[in-house]
Amino acid sequence: WYNYSTMYKITLKIGDQISTSDGETALEAIQSLAKPKKIMGKGIFTISNGGKTRTILMLPMRIKRLFYPNTLHILAKTLSLGL
C-alpha cells in the first residue's frame, strides 16, 4: 500500500519577500499562499511534492495571476506537471 498523501509545498520569492505555503493538493497550496504587498519584479516560484521539486522564474503578470480566483485550478494543474 503506497501513501499518496504527500504535501505540496510552495515558496514564492520576490526580491527580499518570501511567502511559503503547503497543502494536500497543489490547488490548496496555491490558495493558502499569502499575497505579497507589491508585485513589481520577477519572482522565483518553487513547488515541491515529496522528493520532487520544480523551480520557475515568473514575470510580474504571471505572479499576479496566481491570486486571480478564476485561474487557480488551471495554474495548479500546469505548475504541478511533472511532480
Side-chain angles (χ1 to χ4, degrees):
W1 178 255
Y2 184 76
N3 186 5
Y4 287 101
S5 65
T6 57
M7 297 286 286
Y8 281 86
K9 294 181 182 165
I10 292 178
T11 304
L12 178 63
K13 182 178 180 186
I14 304 171
D16 59 350
Q17 300 176 19
I18 298 175
S19 300
T20 60
S21 68
D22 56 357
E24 287 284 325
T25 64
L27 180 61
E28 286 179 11
I30 291 173
Q31 286 175 336
S32 64
L33 190 64
K35 185 175 182 178
K37 293 182 181 182
K38 281 191 174 184
I39 303 174
M40 297 293 289
K42 297 176 186 174
I44 299 173
F45 180 87
T46 306
I47 184 168
S48 62
N49 181 15
K52 297 179 182 178
T53 302
R54 185 172 182 201
T55 303
I56 303 165
L57 178 66
M58 290 188 166
L59 296 174
M61 193 59 217
R62 190 161 184 204
I63 295 171
K64 289 177 184 177
R65 286 186 194 132
L66 287 173
F67 303 101
Y68 292 169
N70 294 338
T71 60
L72 281 179
H73 62 283
I74 298 168
L75 282 172
K77 183 177 179 180
T78 305
L79 295 172
S80 64
L81 285 175
L83 292 180

